[in-house]
Amino acid sequence: MWVRSTMAYRVSFVMMTVGNFAATALDFVAIAFMFSHIDALGGFTLPEVAFLYGTTSVSFGLADLVLGNLDRVGRRVRDGTMDTLLTRPAPVLAQVAADQFALRRLGRVTQGGLLLGWSLARLDVAWTPVTVLLVPVMLVAGAVIFGALFVAGAAFQFRAVDAAEVQNAFTYGGTTLLQYPPSVFARDLVRGVTFVVPLAFVNWLPALRVLGRDDPLGLPGWVDFASPLVALVCWVLAGLAWRAGLRGYRSTGS
């Protein structure tokens, strides 16, 4: 329904999609400006940073396209409109995710995909069947991990109804973090996004394998391939959190 509504005004849709594309592209423009004065950032060249940027942008963009509207859960809890969703014969999570579905968010995915393609054409790496396969696996697993964060953040809003920005700190903030090499951050922060909130499995760890870089934490080599397993665990935990939050929902009392 929302896609049909969007396509009813095609010029507006194109303009908003291009605007979304341009707004997200400005992040990389800032990085490119830095490289006009330096040769490497944390030991990473511009194509390598572009690879990190492209992979996280595509993964986050896919998750944001499908589940980005979950930050409205707190608003629905406050105004009581969550009750309406509970009366419909459809999963509540699917209804919230589809509410006001914004197809214009494809601009971020497109921008990230183009930059990823540019970086792949310029990377000086020894491609093997394993590293070639690792790239699409990284993108899909990263999207699932970000999706799990969206769902977990929405579940938290059942308890703290004004917590949308807390969710955004891990989703939008996480994608900004992962656009830069792990070597520019403190080791404690890298540990935190590896063992506490496993954002490092979105692209840092598998990307280090693709780029032939050393892991700053010195983890075993098999960890670079653990993104699908981590994504599955994150999704299961997020699903359990969502079910618990929904069961604990008591409406507004009005």
Side-chain angles (χ1 to χ4, degrees), residues 73-87 92 157-161 244-254:
V73 167
R75 188 183 313 166
R76 285 190 170 276
V77 171
R78 289 195 302 273
D79 61 22
T81 55
M82 182 64 70
D83 295 3
T84 304
L85 305 184
L86 293 171
T87 63
V92 176
Q157 291 182 59
F158 281 109
R159 298 295 182 181
V161 295
L246 198 59
R247 284 198 302 268
Y249 174 64
R250 294 293 180 267
S251 188
T252 60
S254 61

Side-chain angles (χ1 to χ4, degrees), residues 132-143:
V132 170
L133 181 61
L134 198 55
V135 175
V137 170
M138 182 195 325
L139 298 177
V140 175

Side-chain angles (χ1 to χ4, degrees), residues 142-202:
V144 174
I145 292 173
F146 273 124
L149 290 178
F150 275 113
V151 175
F156 180 66
Q157 291 182 59
F158 281 109
R159 298 295 182 181
V161 295
D162 195 18
E165 292 307 318
V166 175
Q167 173 182 321
N168 292 340
F170 292 98
T171 53
Y172 289 91
T175 190
T176 301
L177 176 77
L178 297 177
Q179 290 169 357
Y180 293 87
S183 53
V184 304
F185 299 104
R187 185 163 295 187
D188 287 340
L189 177 61
V190 177
R191 289 194 184 98
V193 296
T194 302
F195 301 111
V196 181
V197 182
L199 289 170
F201 290 91
V202 172

Side-chain angles (χ1 to χ4, degrees), residues 11-63:
V11 175
S12 176
F13 165 70
V14 171
M15 292 176 63
M16 295 184 71
T17 303
V18 171
N20 185 271
F21 179 100
T24 55
L26 289 176
D27 291 337
F28 189 75
V29 170
I31 296 175
F33 275 137
M34 284 193 292
F35 274 92
S36 66
H37 300 283
I38 60 176
D39 295 325
L41 180 63
F44 284 65
T45 63
L46 179 58
E48 290 174 328
V49 174
F51 179 72
L52 296 177
Y53 183 101
T55 51
T56 190
S57 293
V58 171
S59 293
F60 176 76
L62 292 173

